[in-house]
Amino acid sequence: IHPDEGIRDIVYERIDRKFERFIKRSISGEDITGRIRLNIHIPPLPSRVEDLRKYSIGRSHIGLAALSTAASFSRCNSNFTRDYGEHIKKSWLVAHKSYGVADQIKAKYNYAKVYIYNGRFAISRPFSDHMEDASSIIFYEYGSKKNMYELYEDRIHSVAYQAQLINAHTPNLQCGSKFFQDKTDRWADWVDTDFYQAISIQTPHFIPDGLLVKPFITLFTTSPDELFAINDSSGFGPFRNQFELALCAAKACQTHGKALVLKLHPYLRFKHKSWKEEWKFQALIDHGAVILFPESNVDAHALMSHSKGVITAGSSMSFDAAFLEIPNIVAGDALSDKIGCSSALKSVADLEKFIAGPTLIEGAKNAAIRYASYMGQFGIAMDSLELTDNEDAKIDGQFVSPSLVATKFLKRCWRRILGG
């Protein structure tokens, strides 16, 4: 948006040119896409992820942006970029081009505000990083429903900023409680989602009798490749990885007459095999830990209900624990401790103290309800946007991509024919 008259210009990916007839309704200025001529040097891709994470041009975090995108597509968590395949090569290229576009726009135009989607991945982060000292950046992202969007005046994935928004939210008790009830009921209306497929192998209310012999603490892991999409740091509080956290917890549990139950994230069933590299399972077993692998049919919520305490490393189970009033502690820079759902695990001493005598912080359940209420309501409804059952978008009754709709229709017909 130009600073004086508020005129709006636009630049967008050429692949999205089919959206032109819709976008231009709100654009009072020009489409400047065709004026961008890129001439940027792209160096060789670093071989180690550690070096990739550090690579920047000025304030633009090229390497982190490329890694976020590549990890999202490959579901990989390797220390070597070669394991991310073609995804990292393409993301590396896109991230440099994103920076190059921003560099030209800064040199040629004077924009007061820039609106950009997400601002985390290869196509958007280098651009927004480079532009933020010249323009006010407004990020937007999907809201709580498919036709809702939310605007953010800070980094969407900034934990401190998310906490500020949630803490300022006036909770709806019914909405917040329903959020957790739906999770317990397996999100029946989310059958086609990755989440549902991941937990569909769990047998409701099932927990092995052998687990109930002695008191136990449960550690719910997170899927580490997903942290690349939201987090610049790669550690978990005082621990470099989740194995170090688990081993320390197992030793502390042994000391205090408890067992550690390690519940590995069910999404890991669908991930690149590199997630196993950090784990030394025998070392945990030697210290009395019980390991529930991603394929386990144990009900996560039943497991939580029988736990004396819960440890998480960024998993959303910390919010569930708070709602169920189960003591919990979270490692790393996490949202749940900043909104009052979890104790913060900042040191080994914090972990040992929690295992010795798990305590729930005051107001944790109310904080969880506020979080769930926010997650169920945030965003501004786009009344003109309609999503069909087949995820085809319409604006004011017109399909955004008629060719895509036709292709999907033909594929469905072909599947019916093949199916007899």
Side-chain angles (χ1 to χ4, degrees), residues 40-43 55 57 62 91-100:
I40 183 171
H41 170 67
I42 301 178
Y55 178 78
I57 301 178
I62 306 290
S91 299
W92 183 245
L93 174 65
V94 168
H96 280 87
K97 287 185 173 182
S98 174
Y99 167 82

Side-chain angles (χ1 to χ4, degrees), residues 22-315:
F22 302 105
I23 294 173
K24 281 199 169 180
R25 297 178 186 182
S26 61
I27 302 303
S28 54
E30 301 177 77
D31 172 4
I32 62 172
T33 309
R35 298 186 186 182
I36 305 299
R37 296 290 183 270
L38 291 179
N39 182 21
I40 183 171
H41 170 67
I42 301 178
L45 176 69
S47 60
R48 293 185 60 84
V49 168
E50 180 182 2
D51 297 323
L52 178 69
R53 295 178 71 94
K54 298 175 183 176
Y55 178 78
S56 299
I57 301 178
R59 65 171 65 237
S60 290
H61 296 82
I62 306 290
L64 284 167
L67 180 61
S68 290
T69 296
S72 295
F73 281 104
S74 66
R75 300 183 173 186
C76 185
N77 181 43
S78 174
N79 292 321
F80 300 96
T81 56
R82 64 172 181 265
D83 293 330
Y84 295 80
E86 289 300 311
H87 298 298
I88 192 65
K89 296 177 183 178
K90 293 178 181 178
S91 299
W92 183 245
L93 174 65
V94 168
H96 280 87
K97 287 185 173 182
S98 174
Y99 167 82
V101 171
D103 199 47
Q104 286 206 24
I105 288 177
K106 281 181 73 173
K108 295 180 180 180
Y109 302 92
N110 176 29
Y111 290 118
K113 292 183 180 179
V114 172
Y115 289 81
I116 190 165
Y117 177 75
N118 188 277
R120 182 71 198 179
F121 295 111
I123 198 166
S124 56
R125 181 167 187 177
F127 184 97
S128 56
D129 283 352
H130 196 34
M131 292 291 293
E132 66 183 359
D133 65 334
S135 307
S136 174
I137 310 295
I138 309 296
F139 301 96
Y140 67 97
E141 180 64 276
Y142 288 118
S144 57
K145 296 181 176 60
K146 292 181 179 179
N147 71 331
M148 297 179 74
Y149 288 82
E150 185 68 289
L151 298 177
Y152 301 88
E153 296 182 358
D154 198 346
R155 296 284 173 179
I156 294 172
H157 299 295
S158 161
V159 171
Y161 184 59
Q162 286 182 331
Q164 178 184 329
L165 295 175
I166 293 169
N167 288 332
H169 173 70
T170 301
N172 179 312
L173 180 61
Q174 183 177 1
C175 177
S177 299
K178 184 179 184 301
F179 177 91
F180 291 108
Q181 188 60 52
D182 284 347
K183 285 190 71 175
T184 305
D185 292 344
R186 302 295 193 277
W187 296 91
D189 56 340
W190 284 32
V191 173
D192 295 326
T193 67
D194 285 347
F195 176 80
Y196 185 89
Q197 295 304 318
I199 68 168
S200 61
I201 59 171
Q202 296 181 12
T203 302
H205 314 298
F206 172 68
I207 182 170
D209 292 337
L211 277 183
L212 303 177
V213 173
K214 65 189 300 186
F216 64 88
I217 301 287
T218 302
L219 168 55
F220 289 94
T221 71
T222 192
S223 188
D225 62 290
E226 296 180 11
L227 293 180
F228 289 137
I230 60 174
N231 203 338
D232 284 354
S233 63
S234 56
F236 298 88
F239 306 101
R240 291 177 299 175
N241 54 49
Q242 293 180 97
F243 166 68
E244 289 187 359
L245 168 61
L247 184 60
C248 186
K251 291 177 179 178
C253 282
Q254 214 173 25
T255 299
H256 294 285
K258 299 181 177 75
L260 176 72
V261 176
L262 176 68
K263 180 70 174 73
L264 291 160
H265 200 294
Y267 274 14
L268 295 175
R269 289 194 296 140
F270 312 124
K271 302 293 185 177
H272 186 276
K273 62 182 180 180
S274 57
W275 71 265
K276 298 177 182 178
E277 292 175 2
E278 72 181 70
W279 293 99
K280 297 179 178 63
F281 294 118
Q282 189 58 50
L284 297 173
I285 293 171
D286 290 343
H287 287 282
V290 177
I291 302 172
L292 300 177
F293 287 92
E295 301 81 11
S296 170
N297 68 331
V298 171
D299 185 326
H301 284 88
L303 181 67
M304 176 182 290
S305 297
H306 284 86
S307 301
K308 296 299 181 184
V310 166
I311 305 167
T312 65
S315 166

Side-chain angles (χ1 to χ4, degrees), residues 10 12-27 30-33 395 400-401:
I10 188 168
Y12 52 93
E13 302 166 81
R14 294 202 179 267
I15 195 171
D16 283 347
R17 191 165 289 278
K18 60 178 176 285
F19 293 109
E20 182 174 352
R21 64 184 181 278
F22 302 105
I23 294 173
K24 281 199 169 180
R25 297 178 186 182
S26 61
I27 302 303
E30 301 177 77
D31 172 4
I32 62 172
T33 309
I395 298 179
V400 172
S401 180

